[in-house]
Amino acid sequence: DAGVTQSPTHLIKTRGQQVTLRCSPKSGHDTVSWYQQALGQGPQFIFQYYEEEERQRGNFPDRFSGHQFPNYSSELNVNALLLGDSALYLCASSLGGLSGNTIYFGEGSWLTVV
Amino acid sequence: AQRVTQPEKLLSVFKGAPVELKCNYSYSGSPELFWYVQYSRQRLQLLLRHISRESIKGFTADLNKGETSFHLKKPFAQEEDSAMYYCALSGTYTAGNMLTFGGGTRLMVKP
């Protein structure tokens, strides 16, 4: 089991552009969450997908959107990129999204906005 | 609102010394508390959770609801314990298992 896998690992975008990050959950997991980790800070929750719907959302603007596919993989889209969007984006998966189930993290996608 | 505070950005100790990484939280209900660790060039991984009351790699953490704290302790630090440590909280009244993280503490264990 490869665990949670994310792509791409690194990318550079220009202000105003759009970016799509991808995540495959750990085998058997049906819930995917996305976190943003700015340099020197802890991860911040963006949103969670379960059964192809956004179930919970953190304090992020509508420029951040996502999608979950029938195979439970997920995408994070960010529109109109700002310099402040530069961060490590972490995908996490779990089963059922229930409190008490262990959450597994991917290695992340490093986004640099110039 | 839920919040997690880790007051120390960096904690440096010598090998064999005791370690205590501080974590304070704010949550109106009954929280579930976790410690996550990130070793160099590795992904974030769960170290321990308060409900399991287990000791992992010699680390323990006790939830103190009166002081709203969940400090991580180890009696004798090892060089391989050097890593970033994040305290996290999950609210039992929220759908799903959204984690709120603290800012992290970098532990450096010197030989």
Side-chain angles (χ1 to χ4, degrees):
Chain A
D1 180 13
V4 180
T5 58
Q6 294 185 240
S7 64
T9 53
H10 295 82
L11 69 167
I12 300 174
K13 290 286 188 177
T14 305
R15 272 183 303 175
Q17 284 188 316
Q18 179 262 346
V19 68
T20 297
L21 307 178
R22 296 176 177 81
C23 171
S24 292
K26 181 178 171 63
S27 178
H29 284 183
D30 57 6
T31 303
V32 173
S33 302
W34 287 92
Y35 290 81
Q36 180 195 66
Q37 186 174 18
L39 205 59
Q41 297 182 22
Q44 277 195 290
F45 177 78
I46 303 175
F47 43 53
Q48 183 181 87
Y49 278 84
Y50 174 67
E51 293 188 340
E52 301 181 51
E53 290 191 0
E54 183 182 293
R55 175 159 65 177
Q56 201 171 2
R57 188 178 183 91
N59 189 24
F60 280 80
D62 292 345
R63 297 187 298 109
F64 289 77
S65 63
H67 188 79
Q68 185 178 35
F69 299 94
N71 67 353
Y72 306 124
S73 67
S74 176
E75 288 182 350
L76 165 65
N77 300 290
V78 187
N79 295 321
L81 284 167
L82 304 173
L83 296 180
D85 295 331
S86 296
L88 176 67
Y89 288 85
L90 296 170
C91 174
S93 75
S94 59
L95 179 61
L98 298 174
S99 177
N101 289 342
T102 300
I103 300 169
Y104 292 84
F105 284 84
E107 293 184 332
S109 293
W110 280 102
L111 171 64
T112 301
V113 182
V114 297
Chain B
Q2 51 198 63
R3 176 175 290 185
V4 177
T5 303
Q6 294 179 250
E8 301 142 329
K9 285 280 191 185
L10 173 66
L11 183 63
S12 182
V13 302
F14 284 102
K15 176 183 174 181
V19 172
E20 182 179 47
L21 301 173
K22 291 183 168 53
C23 171
N24 289 92
Y25 68 90
S26 172
Y27 184 66
S28 56
S30 293
E32 189 169 354
L33 275 297
F34 307 83
W35 276 99
Y36 279 80
V37 61
Q38 188 168 31
Y39 300 103
S40 179
R41 297 186 181 85
Q42 294 187 27
R43 65 186 66 195
L44 200 59
Q45 57 186 286
L46 178 66
L47 179 62
L48 55 79
R49 60 201 309 168
H50 88 272
I51 58 171
S52 57
R53 302 186 65 81
E54 56 191 344
S55 172
I56 305 294
K57 299 185 179 182
F59 285 98
T60 59
D62 289 319
L63 178 60
N64 186 325
K65 292 187 177 181
E67 295 182 357
T68 59
S69 68
F70 188 57
H71 303 327
L72 183 68
K73 300 177 183 179
K74 185 170 183 176
F76 308 103
Q78 303 298 315
E79 289 183 69
E80 55 266 30
D81 295 329
S82 296
M84 278 296 298
Y85 290 81
Y86 294 96
C87 182
L89 176 155
S90 177
T92 52
Y93 296 128
T94 56
N97 50 6
M98 177 190 96
L99 290 172
T100 298
F101 284 87
T105 299
R106 179 170 296 282
L107 175 63
M108 291 180 56
V109 181
K110 297 176 287 189

